[in-house]
Amino acid sequence: MTRPLLLAALTIALALPAAVDAGPRPAKSKAAAAAAARVKRGQTFAEQRCAACHGVTRNSSSPNPESPTFEDIANRPGLTSTTLRQFLRDSHNFPEAMDFAVERERIRELADYIVTLRRADYKPTI
């Protein structure tokens, strides 16, 4: 009688993790989903509007040697999404050749995308 009980307990113990894993996965929070969508819109904007001068993806180079890559920008000491948003509000109003304004509604998206390029092992190109 103890052997059948032992087998039953063992079967239940082995089945519990599978039963727990079989449950529904929690959906992404609305905030996380909104942040991911903002980053994607920022990347799309960068690829469409910034890539003519800047390297906008990881490990890319800038077509214009005077323009830093977004990865270089993201890895500057002290840079945050907040400081980057302020910079983007004022960034392209000098010199005349760079007279380009980032639309206000795109600034946060672009900043949120750029900070995703930050890496702990980043080494600037020389």
Side-chain angles (χ1 to χ4, degrees):
M1 180 88 164
T2 59
R3 187 173 186 159
L5 287 175
L6 182 60
L7 285 174
L10 183 58
T11 302
I12 291 170
L14 292 173
L16 278 177
V20 170
D21 284 345
R25 302 261 183 222
K28 271 189 185 178
S29 72
K30 288 183 181 182
R38 225 178 12 258
V39 166
K40 183 64 179 159
R41 287 191 304 271
Q43 181 179 6
T44 299
F45 179 84
E47 290 168 347
Q48 293 172 349
R49 300 283 306 277
C50 308
C53 294
H54 297 275
V56 299
T57 58
R58 194 173 304 283
N59 298 317
S60 63
S61 58
S62 294
N64 178 346
E66 302 275 325
S67 303
T69 67
F70 281 9
E71 191 172 27
D72 287 339
I73 294 167
N75 287 284
R76 290 183 178 167
L79 182 104
T80 66
S81 183
T82 302
T83 61
L84 186 54
R85 286 194 305 266
Q86 181 60 49
F87 174 79
L88 289 170
R89 284 185 196 102
D90 305 326
S91 63
H92 288 86
N93 56 0
F94 61 89
E96 297 286 326
M98 292 186 348
D99 191 14
F100 173 82
V102 179
E103 294 87 5
R104 196 152 192 85
E105 64 272 10
R106 299 291 168 238
I107 288 174
R108 183 173 183 193
E109 296 167 351
L110 188 56
D112 286 354
Y113 167 66
I114 291 172
V115 298
T116 68
L117 300 174
R118 187 175 297 148
R119 298 184 317 189
D121 64 342
Y122 176 76
K123 302 270 191 274
T125 56
I126 298 175

